[in-house]
Amino acid sequence: MAGAKEIRTKIKSIKNTQKITRAMEMVAASKMRKAQERMYAARPYAEKIRTVISHLAHAHTEYRPPALMDRPDVKRVGYIVISTDRGLCGGLNTNLFKATVQSMREWQAKGVESELCTVGTKAAGFFRRLGVKVAATVSHLGDTPRIEDLVGSVKVMFDRFREGEIDRIYLVHNVFLNTMTQKPSVELLVPVSARVEKVDAPHRWDYLYEPDATVLLDTLLVRYVESLVYQGLVENVACEMAARMIAMKSASDNAGSLIDELQLVYNKARQAAITQELSEIVAGAAAV
Amino acid sequence: MAMTLHVDIVSAEKQIFSGTAEMLVATAEEGELGILPRHSQMLARLKPGQVRVKLQFGEEQVFYVSGGLLEVQPHTVTVLADTAERAADLDEAKAIEAKRRAEEILAARSDEISLARAQAELAEAVAQLQAIEKLRKLRKA
């Protein structure tokens, strides 16, 4: 019964793996619910600031911040890539990086170089190997990211944009469609004008500023970029949890079907051994 | 009916208040501002302090914000409150930290792997995923 014993150990080890994946599935499911709530909670701010920015784009302001104006010739582009810190979440990160690399390639074909700001250890690792210039990086933000953690990296990119080092900033993250599907998205962050459609205002108007237009508009735009990146990050956490839940569920299912198959093989092996023993006994008795 | 304002107070992490009010008083950097309906468009920076909302029928609600921005349109007021502690030099320090981490990672790279190889790795991973996907479909069929 040597074969049968081996199979038994194998079944046991698969069962152990299944226990782990099932536990991870349940943990991810409960974390996903919380992450989703956070995602919805962060939406009003993003919506409001978007409204303010679109008002601003329609106003005839005395000072036009550089982030509002489209730059005709693009020499360098920046990406803020939001990935997860941990793996075991299916193809989430891989699909995201694929989308990033594709967009980078398109720019490269036009002779435009790219540089990156990575969020999360997975992006940092991947783009280091790729050999792209990484201007800033932040990781280990946990499941409840705070906006403070992002401020530094966003500032690096935004400053480079203001100095004219890069002409466009894209935000790359996963969009939470539903629990089963997450889609990578590459969206243009600044210049803003490319995002808001122009409407002919009925009359010219400008804001009153307290204290001063330059300072205020710059602050507003920094807040705008930060809030979009934060929103992306929170959404990406929800995606991570959902993807992990699905990945772990299918791992548990696969382990289950593997166990069933092995159980069948084991039963056959056991039966064969019994039959053999019996026929040996019968043959022995016949010989006597 | 008396003229009213629509007031939204939001922070990056959640919505704090949304509703109709008769007047809003906020602490701007250059002093308190009282906003009544039909105020002309305005942008102001808030410093840490109170935001008081006078609701209809005489009720009043008070919120504390640790800074932020205020946008006024004739019939809507939006307060974009900061949750984080903000200061220019603090932001700068964080930016430097983020840059340093990036440089560290670049320095840790022992040998430069070419773009082609990394892409090959990526392609491999994608292929694996597709294979798994196919396998799963076959199982089900």
Side-chain angles (χ1 to χ4, degrees):
Chain A
M1 291 249 321
K5 189 158 189 271
E6 269 168 35
I7 295 169
R8 225 171 24 218
T9 5
K10 211 168 193 178
I11 290 178
K12 201 154 190 202
S13 92
I14 294 173
K15 270 190 183 153
N16 285 337
T17 314
Q18 197 187 23
K19 266 181 213 157
I20 295 169
T21 54
R22 196 164 280 160
M24 284 183 78
E25 181 194 331
M26 283 190 270
V27 171
S30 83
K31 279 189 178 172
M32 184 188 74
R33 227 161 297 143
K34 277 184 214 141
Q36 247 177 304
E37 276 164 27
R38 260 196 303 280
M39 180 175 87
Y40 293 130
R43 263 185 196 162
Y45 187 90
E47 268 166 31
K48 290 298 166 216
I49 202 160
R50 219 169 270 165
T51 324
V52 174
I53 292 284
S54 75
H55 287 160
L56 190 66
H58 298 147
H60 296 270
T61 49
E62 54 183 75
Y63 160 74
R64 298 298 280 178
L68 272 183
M69 282 174 293
D70 207 4
R71 298 182 187 171
D73 54 330
V74 180
K75 292 179 290 298
R76 265 182 102 80
V77 290
Y79 291 90
I80 298 176
V81 184
I82 299 175
S83 72
T84 66
D85 275 333
R86 277 165 296 173
L88 289 182
C89 47
L92 192 73
N93 286 317
T94 319
N95 288 337
L96 190 75
F97 298 154
K98 208 169 80 174
T100 319
V101 169
Q102 199 185 2
S103 164
M104 274 160 64
R105 270 223 194 119
E106 277 165 23
W107 279 112
Q108 210 170 27
K110 293 181 213 156
V112 176
E113 289 297 311
S114 356
E115 61 184 71
L116 294 166
C117 161
T118 62
V119 182
T121 46
K122 290 285 162 192
F126 177 79
F127 288 104
R128 187 187 70 210
R129 268 174 293 157
L130 201 65
V132 193
K133 186 181 172 200
V134 178
T137 177
V138 60
S139 57
H140 303 294
L141 298 179
D143 299 333
T144 46
R146 289 170 315 155
I147 208 153
E148 289 107 292
D149 306 324
L150 285 172
V151 171
S153 324
V154 172
K155 187 173 161 58
V156 171
M157 291 307 265
F158 202 62
D159 282 351
R160 289 184 68 77
F161 175 80
R162 252 194 307 220
E163 287 155 16
E165 296 275 337
I166 48 181
D167 302 305
R168 271 175 182 211
I169 303 178
Y170 287 96
L171 177 68
V172 188
H173 71 106
N174 281 298
V175 179
F176 189 94
L177 295 178
N178 55 47
T179 322
M180 299 300 283
T181 29
Q182 297 86 33
K183 210 178 78 204
S185 95
V186 183
E187 59 172 332
L188 185 64
L189 216 52
V190 280
V192 177
S193 60
R195 288 177 63 117
V196 223
E197 72 273 29
K198 273 265 165 233
V199 182
D200 283 323
H203 59 281
R204 298 172 69 87
W205 59 274
D206 191 7
Y207 283 107
L208 300 170
Y209 300 96
E210 274 222 22
D212 155 45
T214 327
V215 182
L216 257 171
L217 294 183
D218 282 342
T219 332
L220 179 65
L221 281 158
V222 170
R223 292 286 189 281
Y224 172 68
V225 171
E226 278 170 9
S227 85
L228 285 186
V229 175
Y230 175 77
Q231 172 84 24
L233 179 62
V234 177
E235 196 161 348
N236 203 61
V237 173
C239 288
E240 177 191 352
M241 293 311 161
R244 179 165 302 131
M245 192 181 87
I246 300 301
M248 287 303 120
K249 187 176 162 43
S250 66
S252 307
D253 291 352
N254 286 348
S257 58
L258 213 57
I259 289 171
D260 287 348
E261 276 167 35
L262 282 176
Q263 192 70 48
L264 220 61
V265 176
Y266 169 74
N267 287 347
K268 267 186 194 158
R270 198 188 51 153
Q271 201 54 55
I274 292 167
T275 316
Q276 196 187 348
E277 242 172 67
L278 266 180
S279 67
E280 271 165 14
I281 292 166
V282 172
V288 173
Chain B
M1 200 180 98
M3 279 198 301
T4 50
L5 278 168
H6 186 79
V7 178
D8 281 298
I9 304 177
V10 288
S11 80
E13 273 134 35
K14 61 173 190 285
Q15 180 153 35
I16 298 169
F17 175 84
S18 174
T20 327
E22 281 181 354
M23 185 181 174
L24 175 129
V25 181
T27 325
E29 275 186 350
E30 290 174 353
E32 286 216 324
L33 288 175
I35 313 288
L36 288 164
R38 291 211 182 152
H39 196 288
S40 81
Q41 288 94 339
M42 181 167 81
L43 275 175
R45 208 148 65 156
L46 302 179
K47 63 179 190 189
Q50 289 180 344
V51 174
R52 293 203 304 277
V53 184
K54 278 205 184 109
L55 301 173
Q56 286 168 285
F57 317 115
E59 248 183 282
E60 195 179 71
Q61 279 197 22
V62 182
F63 302 93
Y64 178 81
V65 295
S66 57
L69 292 167
L70 174 84
E71 196 229 13
V72 182
Q73 291 283 338
H75 287 285
T76 53
V77 181
T78 312
V79 178
L80 302 164
D82 289 339
T83 36
E85 293 283 325
R86 306 299 297 238
D89 45 339
L90 209 67
D91 286 9
E92 191 60 45
K94 277 177 184 153
I96 291 166
E97 173 70 14
K99 261 189 205 158
R100 190 188 54 74
R101 274 195 304 263
E103 275 153 19
E104 236 168 53
I105 285 178
L106 281 180
R109 174 171 52 187
S110 50
D111 59 329
E112 196 154 330
I113 302 173
S114 67
L115 193 80
R117 181 147 166 219
Q119 272 166 357
E121 251 176 62
L122 182 63
E124 199 179 311
V126 173
Q128 275 173 0
L129 277 177
Q130 280 167 349
I132 291 167
E133 198 66 34
K134 246 179 219 161
L135 211 69
R136 203 173 290 155
K137 270 186 200 142
L138 270 181
R139 274 255 166 85
K140 274 189 193 142

